[in-house]
Amino acid sequence: KTKEERIDIDCVIDKIKKQHCTEIFACGTAAVISSIDELGERNNSVYSVTDEHRPITKKLKEKLKQIQAGLDPEFKEWNWYVS
């Protein structure tokens, strides 16, 4: 089940250090879904995610592209064509 919630950055960094967070991505209108390789802090600390293959990110990106192209019948009503 999906849920949306605010997550404190210190919690995210802790989960990366413990390898409980293996993928990070950003999404938006222009970015679609973009992988994030690492998070950095002003003190120059850098935290890298561990899964270079990013299976969840790839699956979500492909699904979104199918929806945007009108190829996913489940979400056909999400598209409005303008001529």
Side-chain angles (χ1 to χ4, degrees):
K1 183 176 179 176
T2 303
K3 73 177 183 177
E4 183 177 331
E5 64 182 90
R6 288 186 163 270
I7 301 174
D8 183 75
I9 190 64
D10 293 327
C11 178
V12 174
I13 291 170
D14 184 56
K15 292 196 182 295
I16 292 171
K17 287 178 180 177
K18 293 178 179 175
Q19 295 188 349
H20 295 163
C21 177
T22 58
E23 292 185 61
I24 302 173
F25 61 88
C27 59
T29 305
V32 185
I33 295 178
S34 299
S35 297
I36 297 173
D37 295 329
E38 54 191 22
L39 296 177
E41 293 187 278
R42 289 187 181 138
N43 67 5
N44 294 326
S45 296
V46 177
Y47 309 96
S48 298
V49 294
T50 58
D51 193 336
E52 63 188 48
H53 302 292
R54 295 172 175 74
I56 296 169
T57 305
K58 287 179 182 177
K59 185 175 180 180
L60 288 171
K61 187 173 189 172
E62 186 56 38
K63 181 71 170 181
L64 181 57
K65 286 166 60 177
Q66 293 290 312
I67 292 168
Q68 289 174 326
L71 301 175
D72 188 320
E74 183 180 355
F75 297 96
K76 199 74 165 170
E77 73 280 355
W78 284 20
N79 293 333
W80 290 79
Y81 297 96
V82 178
S83 57

